[in-house]
Amino acid sequence: MLGFGKNKQASTEKTTVEAQNKNKQPAVSIDIAEDKFTVMPQQYLPQKGKTPKIPDAPNTGATPTSGINKKFLILGSVAFVALIALCVVLYIVFLSPKEATSPIAQAPAQSAPAQGANQENEDPSITEKIISTQAYDSSNILIGSMEITIPATVAQVFGTGIGITSLLSDDLTLPEEGAIIGGLYSIYPSGVSFDEALSIEIVLSDIPEEANMADIYPAYLRGVKWQEFDDYQATEAGFILTLEKLPTGTIAVIWNPAKAEENPEQNLNFTKAVPSIDTDEDGLTDAEEEMIGTSFSSVDSDEDTYPDLEEILNGYSPLASDGALLESSGIFAQYTNATYGYQISYPSGWLADSLDTTNKQVLFISETEEFFEVLIQENPLNTPIVDWFRSMSPSLKNIELDVAVLDGRPAVWSPDGLTLYVSKDGIIYILTYNRGTRDEISWPNMFEYFYNSFAFGNTINDNNAQDQDGDDSGSTTPDAL
Ligand SMILES: [Ca+2]
Ligand SMILES: [Ca+2]
């Protein structure tokens, strides 16, 4: 929401910056002064009345016949009365209409009628305010624009105190990598937080042809570094930021062609996994051929004219030329998870192992350190899988997702192609090829067979099925095909 988690600065620094900005923006100072008037009479009024009186009273008592002192006494009394009168006027003008609600209590968003009732002094016709500005290059060609939608509650408080300035790039720190496109903007008052978020749209007049949207992002100048906004929405011609707090630095859109490559992070490796050695180049790795029993020096081990891999992916045994089905070959076994309602096939020589009695994490372990895994995560709001994935991987927000279908439901691939996410009935099923420390994967086709065999089934609660293997784990494993 806020998008500035990383931008928390020491409060002293922030105060200094705000103070400077207040000096620059008289409109803001006026507003803040009004706020102070609403508070001052309550706390300071009695003391103000006393302050001039205390030194006067004892002095007059000590030298009773002094004419000069009498003059001071009269002047002091007049000043005191005038001050009281001034305070009363200020009290009537500023405080009394707001008495019903203390300033602190009305800070969070209240219902619109309540706010309206408290804003009698301000223009009730102010609802939502939109301000905008345009940016031009040195040849006076329009390069971009910024438009800010200010919610009514914020507009009523800040009035004209919020604005945008379009800047020139001459005296600014430019990004080390990439280039600024579509202008530079400064929004004031900088660093200020609002009760309601401002919607800020940046429109780019011209997006370079060579650029794609994954390389373009809105950022703000934080010290001497350009920091990408944590949260934004891409539009056809730019971006929309939703900010409850304004950054202290200049805002711009940066085009950095190297960004997509340099920003994988979050344990996700963008390089697609490379299969290990495949001597006969038939697509089955030597490790797979050895496990299955096919020849790693022949593309067609059973010499039925159908290549080994083609037979496997079409459900035929690569070891029998009589058209025998893979199901009855004993190469794969089936695992059933009744707790979370799914079935999946895995190489029968591997160990299928639920890590604990919850059956949330089941491993299918090969003779190498590599293993396949089905992991369960809750998805109580039943968020669609693409949205769920995006919410879990904010760093991938600009990456086009590889969306597949698994047992009739949309599924999302991780960028490295080794994890598949699918959702059903409030549960996320995460199918992963864990290659450990290996660069090359030994079981690419076994994994393909594995995830393609994934099928949703009934859970134990749906059908009251008996726990067939009697270990109370809700799983039945293995059931050889
Ligand atoms: Ca091979
Ligand atoms: Ca064959």
Side-chain angles (χ1 to χ4, degrees), residues 50-62 69 72-73 75-77:
K50 279 174 198 167
T51 312
K53 203 178 176 184
I54 288 166
D56 281 356
N59 286 346
T60 52
N69 278 347
F72 275 119
L73 183 63
L75 279 174
S77 300

Side-chain angles (χ1 to χ4, degrees), residues 18-342:
E18 283 176 14
Q20 286 168 353
N21 276 287
K22 279 170 195 163
N23 291 338
K24 286 178 195 165
Q25 321 299 340
V28 180
S29 301
I30 287 163
D31 283 336
I32 286 161
E34 282 178 5
D35 284 347
K36 281 182 182 168
F37 275 120
T38 64
V39 179
M40 266 174 68
Q42 288 177 327
Q43 295 176 355
Y44 301 115
L45 179 58
Q47 289 177 359
K48 277 206 163 182
K50 279 174 198 167
T51 312
K53 203 178 176 184
I54 288 166
D56 281 356
N59 286 346
T60 52
T63 51
T65 54
S66 165
I68 293 166
N69 278 347
K70 272 185 186 171
K71 278 183 184 174
F72 275 119
L73 183 63
I74 291 164
L75 279 174
S77 300
V78 169
F80 177 70
V81 170
L83 187 63
I84 293 289
L86 180 65
C87 289
V88 167
V89 168
L90 288 175
Y91 178 85
I92 291 167
V93 170
F94 291 106
L95 188 64
S96 55
K98 295 181 182 176
E99 222 171 11
T101 319
S102 82
I104 293 162
Q106 78 182 37
Q110 287 191 343
S111 63
Q115 283 282 353
N118 291 333
Q119 301 288 345
E120 281 170 19
N121 284 331
E122 286 155 13
D123 188 351
S125 65
I126 294 178
T127 49
E128 182 181 271
K129 213 177 150 192
I130 294 175
I131 54 174
S132 64
T133 195
Q134 270 131 22
Y136 298 87
D137 67 7
S138 52
S139 315
N140 218 23
I141 292 169
L142 181 71
I143 51 175
S145 64
M146 176 181 275
E147 181 178 287
I148 305 181
T149 304
I150 306 166
T153 52
V154 177
Q156 282 161 7
V157 173
F158 282 84
T160 55
I162 299 176
I164 326 168
T165 314
S166 176
L167 306 172
L168 296 172
S169 59
D170 297 351
D171 47 9
L172 267 174
T173 309
L174 296 175
E176 287 168 11
E177 286 175 326
I180 284 172
I181 52 173
L184 290 156
Y185 305 93
S186 172
I187 307 178
Y188 57 86
S190 67
V192 167
S193 297
F194 304 110
D195 292 342
E196 260 189 89
L198 308 188
S199 173
I200 299 167
E201 181 169 15
I202 307 172
V203 173
L204 308 169
S205 301
D206 185 30
I207 297 175
E209 263 179 39
E210 320 86 270
N212 66 63
M213 287 307 276
D215 303 330
I216 300 177
Y217 55 93
Y220 60 99
L221 191 55
R222 183 186 175 196
V224 295
K225 290 268 181 192
W226 284 90
Q227 172 82 43
E228 182 178 359
F229 281 100
D230 284 341
D231 191 19
Y232 56 82
Q233 187 189 332
T235 64
E236 271 189 19
F239 299 94
I240 293 178
L241 305 165
T242 306
L243 301 182
E244 283 173 351
K245 185 184 176 189
L246 293 176
T248 52
T250 307
I251 297 174
V253 172
I254 292 178
W255 170 37
N256 182 1
K259 178 174 176 285
E261 293 152 30
E262 75 186 22
N263 199 26
E265 59 182 83
Q266 292 225 339
N267 302 325
L268 291 169
N269 189 338
F270 275 54
T271 11
K272 295 275 179 189
V274 177
S276 60
I277 188 162
D278 171 12
T279 304
D280 59 7
E281 299 181 334
D282 65 351
L284 286 164
T285 64
D286 287 6
E288 288 174 323
E289 302 227 47
E290 190 179 353
M291 189 201 76
I292 295 165
T294 50
S295 163
F296 46 76
S297 58
S298 165
V299 171
D300 178 14
S301 300
D302 58 5
E303 298 182 326
D304 63 355
T305 75
Y306 296 104
D308 295 344
L309 181 58
E310 191 182 317
E311 291 204 65
I312 290 172
L313 297 180
N314 285 294
Y316 293 97
S317 168
L319 297 170
S321 57
D322 57 2
L325 295 176
L326 192 60
E327 268 191 353
S328 52
S329 68
I331 294 171
F332 291 96
Q334 190 175 63
Y335 168 83
T336 301
N337 188 313
T339 315
Y340 293 102
Y342 70 88

Side-chain angles (χ1 to χ4, degrees), residues 232-455:
Y232 56 82
Q233 187 189 332
T235 64
E236 271 189 19
F239 299 94
I240 293 178
L241 305 165
T242 306
L243 301 182
E244 283 173 351
K245 185 184 176 189
L246 293 176
T248 52
T250 307
I251 297 174
V253 172
I254 292 178
W255 170 37
N256 182 1
K259 178 174 176 285
E261 293 152 30
E262 75 186 22
N263 199 26
E265 59 182 83
Q266 292 225 339
N267 302 325
L268 291 169
N269 189 338
F270 275 54
T271 11
K272 295 275 179 189
V274 177
S276 60
I277 188 162
D278 171 12
T279 304
D280 59 7
E281 299 181 334
D282 65 351
L284 286 164
T285 64
D286 287 6
E288 288 174 323
E289 302 227 47
E290 190 179 353
M291 189 201 76
I292 295 165
T294 50
S295 163
F296 46 76
S297 58
S298 165
V299 171
D300 178 14
S301 300
D302 58 5
E303 298 182 326
D304 63 355
T305 75
Y306 296 104
D308 295 344
L309 181 58
E310 191 182 317
E311 291 204 65
I312 290 172
L313 297 180
N314 285 294
Y316 293 97
S317 168
L319 297 170
S321 57
D322 57 2
L325 295 176
L326 192 60
E327 268 191 353
S328 52
S329 68
I331 294 171
F332 291 96
Q334 190 175 63
Y335 168 83
T336 301
N337 188 313
T339 315
Y340 293 102
Y342 70 88
Q343 297 179 334
I344 199 160
S345 293
Y346 65 100
S348 56
W350 294 13
L351 176 68
D353 190 16
S354 180
L355 283 191
D356 57 40
T357 55
T358 67
N359 283 323
K360 278 193 169 180
Q361 190 174 15
V362 182
L363 306 187
F364 303 88
I365 305 165
S366 76
E367 59 261 40
T368 66
E369 76 261 36
E370 299 154 278
F371 59 88
F372 300 167
E373 175 185 344
V374 180
L375 178 69
I376 301 297
Q377 282 197 14
E378 310 290 337
N379 180 18
L381 300 177
N382 220 359
T383 308
I385 192 65
V386 172
D387 299 336
W388 180 87
F389 185 88
R390 291 241 184 248
S391 71
M392 298 299 283
S393 312
S395 68
L396 303 178
K397 57 180 168 284
N398 292 322
I399 303 303
E400 192 176 334
L401 296 176
D402 188 358
V403 180
V405 174
L406 195 61
D407 197 20
R409 301 189 69 86
V412 176
W413 279 107
S414 63
D416 65 1
L418 292 179
T419 303
L420 190 57
Y421 303 82
V422 66
S423 173
K424 191 188 179 205
D425 299 337
I427 295 170
I428 308 278
Y429 301 79
I430 305 172
L431 283 60
T432 300
Y433 185 128
N434 190 314
R435 58 176 159 175
T437 56
R438 287 173 182 244
D439 291 331
E440 297 179 338
I441 55 172
S442 309
W443 317 105
N445 299 290
M446 297 303 100
F447 187 57
E448 186 172 342
Y449 191 87
F450 175 78
Y451 67 72
N452 276 328
S453 72
F454 180 89

